[in-house]
Amino acid sequence: MKINVTVSNEWNSLCSEYQQLLETHQTTYPVQLGAIAKALGIKILSSTLRSDISGEIRETNGEVTIKVNRHDAKTRQRFTVAHELAHYFLHRDLLKDGIVDDVLYRSSHSTYIEQEANRLAADILMPIHLLNALVLQCNHEKETSRKIEYLAQELNVSITALKIRLG
């Protein structure tokens, strides 16, 4: 299995300070999203949200809070946190009103903004260097489906998210 992914334009658009902060927390897998949020001063809350809402990010009085639906699967919660962190990096100007994402990661903002957040979330959760390292570890597996399962489990992401990241 050969990994042929690149970083997104969204990753490339981040200032070097944000890239370095993220890379500091992408040295082992699974990527520690809580440590990234803490370094940014962002509070993450596991909350009971409506069943059609996966998460939200909001800035109130200078404090940024991410709420994630505690009823979602853990891998989905991780993607939601990464998605909301991506909003923080890319769409900070929208946080005063809050960004609430439904289960399809759509909000009242444009689809393009949500797609940007999804692409950066994938870069945050599944950086290329970690994917490549994991692929080397599972080269003994003959079946691609078993490799995919192994990669998803080690990165603590859903198989769907991983397949999208791998193209």
Side-chain angles (χ1 to χ4, degrees), residues 49-55 69 71-73 76 79-80 83-84 100-107 114 118:
L49 302 174
R50 289 189 346 232
S51 62
D52 62 331
I53 301 295
S54 289
N69 195 330
H71 300 290
D72 286 347
R76 181 163 186 90
F79 192 87
T80 298
H83 178 93
E84 301 306 341
V100 178
D101 294 306
D102 68 15
V103 293
L104 298 175
Y105 296 108
R106 291 186 300 225
S107 68
E114 294 305 323
N118 281 340

Side-chain angles (χ1 to χ4, degrees), residues 39-137:
L40 294 166
I42 297 173
K43 192 182 325 181
I44 299 174
L45 302 174
S46 178
S47 302
T48 298
L49 302 174
R50 289 189 346 232
S51 62
D52 62 331
I53 301 295
S54 289
E56 66 181 45
I57 184 168
R58 187 174 308 274
E59 184 173 354
T60 308
N61 299 324
E63 184 174 277
V64 179
T65 303
I66 292 173
K67 289 184 180 177
V68 63
N69 195 330
R70 70 182 188 90
H71 300 290
D72 286 347
K74 292 297 179 197
T75 54
R76 181 163 186 90
Q77 289 180 34
R78 283 179 49 75
F79 192 87
T80 298
V81 170
H83 178 93
E84 301 306 341
L85 286 170
H87 279 310
Y88 176 86
F89 291 123
L90 299 171
H91 312 120
R92 186 89 191 262
D93 56 319
L94 301 176
L95 299 188
K96 294 265 190 255
D97 296 329
I99 300 174
V100 178
D101 294 306
D102 68 15
V103 293
L104 298 175
Y105 296 108
R106 291 186 300 225
S107 68
S108 60
H109 299 285
S110 75
T111 300
Y112 184 74
I113 284 174
E114 294 305 323
Q115 290 170 346
E116 285 180 330
N118 281 340
R119 287 189 292 267
L120 184 55
D123 286 331
I124 293 169
L125 275 175
M126 300 170 272
I128 294 167
H129 68 280
L130 291 182
L131 279 171
N132 285 330
L134 282 166
V135 166
L136 290 175
Q137 288 181 22

Side-chain angles (χ1 to χ4, degrees), residues 11-30:
W11 177 273
N12 289 327
S13 75
L14 293 178
C15 68
S16 60
E17 178 186 346
Y18 283 160
Q19 286 181 354
Q20 289 171 356
L21 181 140
L22 289 167
E23 288 167 352
T24 298
H25 297 283
Q26 293 176 318
T27 57
T28 59
Y29 48 85

